[in-house]
Amino acid sequence: MDRQQEFVLRTVEERDIRFIRLWFTDVLGVLKSVAVAPAELEQAFGEGIGFDGSAIEGLTRVYEADMIAKPDPTTFQILPWRGDRHGTARMFCDILTPDGEPALADPRNVLKRALARASDKGFTFYTHPEVEFYLFEQMSGPNAPLVPVDTGGYFDHLARGSTHDFRRAAISMLESMGISVEYSHHEAGPGQNEIDLRYADALTTADNLMTFRTVVKEVALEQGVFATFMPKPLADHPGSGMHTHVSLFEGDRNAFHEPGAQFELSKTGRQFIAGLLVHAAEVTAVTNQYVNSYKRLWGGAEAPSYVCWGHNNRSALVRVPMYKPGKGNSSRIEYRGIDSAANPYLAFAVMLAAGLKGIEEGYDLPDATEDDVWELTDAERRALGITPLPQNLDAAIAIMERSELVAETLGEHVFRYVLANKRQEWDAYRAQVTPYELHRFLQFL
């Protein structure tokens, strides 16, 4: 037993922890949980906890049902909303096969494989997500209209606003669990908020994001409202994205930084951006995995609908911020396509794979776009070589299906499951007769 496992066992005893929740996600990024008693924890560290993997979305097939959840002691945290006495803690798990091998369909393992590939090239992948979400009043019924908790806008300070209290409570809870927050503010939509997590390695960030979503929903329940990470809940207001700042480090050196270069961006950084642009359409079904995601991508309000990059251009898919010129460790890239409902393990894996491909193949970076891409005509965009992202889930699936990069990164099992699941979602979506159609055509036709 290693020191971290001993620390967990000692803390459980000293803090009177009665339940330890073992967390992992299915392929879509839905959090799963199984609770064990303290007496079972030492065995869980040694052997893991067996469960029926075929009952979890995309994890395995019926005839391969036996799976093992093995807790990662470095992720141990006490859940602050469960009370001080007889408390509850959580740990994230790695999913293994009965012979102890990492399960190919475990999203956490998919990201670990991508990070190992980067590590083989001497890189550590860091991420910093800006997470947007909406807060609504509790609905009186399934067809009741959505009522935002306020009418505020971007950076608004609302006197005695409920979202101030909400963000303060959520951030306090996150920081009590060791999850550092950098910024928080009201976003552009009514009832829309943003909380930015501090930079961390991508695996830690992905774990933190799963905890973040749970904390936000718990605080919302405590305050009598509900929170949603749905990409576009309101047709006439901005969607919720998860703009993610990324960088590669070689030891303590930021591989994206080069003093004196344009935007102080190194050749490695330029090739990483080029990889993101070349493969952007291929990874979109992963970074934007729901039919609703495309209402955000093509809904205006600075959503990144077109494949291009720029410096401080908030209509571009990739942006190169330059807030701290001359400070090497701050050089980074902002990928603006991903939304708040993505599975962070899979999304970070394909983003990293795309960027590494650009470095490996020496992709050339096209000229930056400083125009508002939305204001250009189709002809002007074509002349500049600016192509659109997929306009709906069906188009994104078709492009992903032909992608060797996504298939290799996700692995055959996850790749095939995502394709099958998203085809089912699209077929169910397009079969609906929507309120728009009834309003527009029922009496007219």
Side-chain angles (χ1 to χ4, degrees), residues 129-130 209 213 240-245 284 286-288 296-297 304 317 335-344 346-348 351 389:
E130 303 174 352
L209 281 168
R213 292 174 183 171
S240 291
M242 191 171 72
H243 303 161
T244 300
H245 298 246
T284 300
V286 177
T287 59
N288 306 82
R296 168 192 164 250
L297 277 183
L317 177 64
Y335 190 77
R336 299 172 60 81
I338 185 173
D339 64 42
S340 296
N343 181 336
L346 301 187
F348 290 166
M351 289 164 58
L389 285 173

Side-chain angles (χ1 to χ4, degrees), residues 372-389:
D372 183 343
V373 184
W374 275 95
E375 296 297 321
L376 300 175
T377 65
D378 288 341
E380 289 171 330
R381 283 190 286 265
R382 283 195 298 271
L384 291 170
I386 297 173
T387 58
L389 285 173

Side-chain angles (χ1 to χ4, degrees), residues 7 56 216 272 350 403 406 444:
F7 166 78
I56 305 297
V216 165
F272 193 96
V350 296
S403 173
V406 177
F444 174 72

Side-chain angles (χ1 to χ4, degrees), residues 398-438:
I399 295 171
M400 174 178 149
E401 189 172 25
R402 302 190 297 270
S403 173
E404 293 183 6
L405 179 133
V406 177
E408 179 184 353
T409 303
L410 298 185
E412 181 181 0
H413 182 91
V414 174
F415 182 69
R416 291 186 181 279
Y417 178 82
V418 171
L419 287 173
N421 180 275
K422 294 304 150 185
R423 286 195 192 99
Q424 291 174 359
E425 181 179 341
W426 177 254
D427 288 343
Y429 174 73
R430 69 176 181 175
Q432 299 296 311
V433 178
T434 65
Y436 169 85
E437 294 167 277
L438 293 173

Side-chain angles (χ1 to χ4, degrees), residues 272-424:
F272 193 96
I273 295 176
L276 286 174
L277 298 181
V278 168
H279 299 286
E282 300 168 41
V283 306
T284 300
V286 177
T287 59
N288 306 82
Q289 66 169 327
Y290 295 107
V291 289
N292 182 255
S293 298
Y294 299 83
K295 304 291 179 68
R296 168 192 164 250
L297 277 183
W298 289 93
E302 296 187 350
S305 309
Y306 296 94
V307 180
C308 60
W309 75 284
H311 172 58
N312 280 342
N313 183 350
R314 296 182 185 273
S315 69
L317 177 64
V318 179
R319 189 173 73 93
V320 180
M322 196 173 173
Y323 296 142
K324 300 175 182 177
K327 187 175 180 181
N329 283 350
S330 71
S331 293
R332 63 199 186 278
I333 292 162
E334 180 187 7
Y335 190 77
R336 299 172 60 81
I338 185 173
D339 64 42
S340 296
N343 181 336
Y345 300 102
L346 301 187
F348 290 166
V350 296
M351 289 164 58
L352 174 58
L356 288 179
K357 190 71 169 178
I359 295 171
E360 292 166 355
E361 302 295 331
Y363 288 175
D364 291 326
L365 183 65
D367 292 337
T369 302
E370 301 303 339
D371 296 316
D372 183 343
V373 184
W374 275 95
E375 296 297 321
L376 300 175
T377 65
D378 288 341
E380 289 171 330
R381 283 190 286 265
R382 283 195 298 271
L384 291 170
I386 297 173
T387 58
L389 285 173
Q391 297 190 22
N392 54 50
L393 184 60
D394 183 44
I397 295 166
I399 295 171
M400 174 178 149
E401 189 172 25
R402 302 190 297 270
S403 173
E404 293 183 6
L405 179 133
V406 177
E408 179 184 353
T409 303
L410 298 185
E412 181 181 0
H413 182 91
V414 174
F415 182 69
R416 291 186 181 279
Y417 178 82
V418 171
L419 287 173
N421 180 275
K422 294 304 150 185
R423 286 195 192 99
Q424 291 174 359

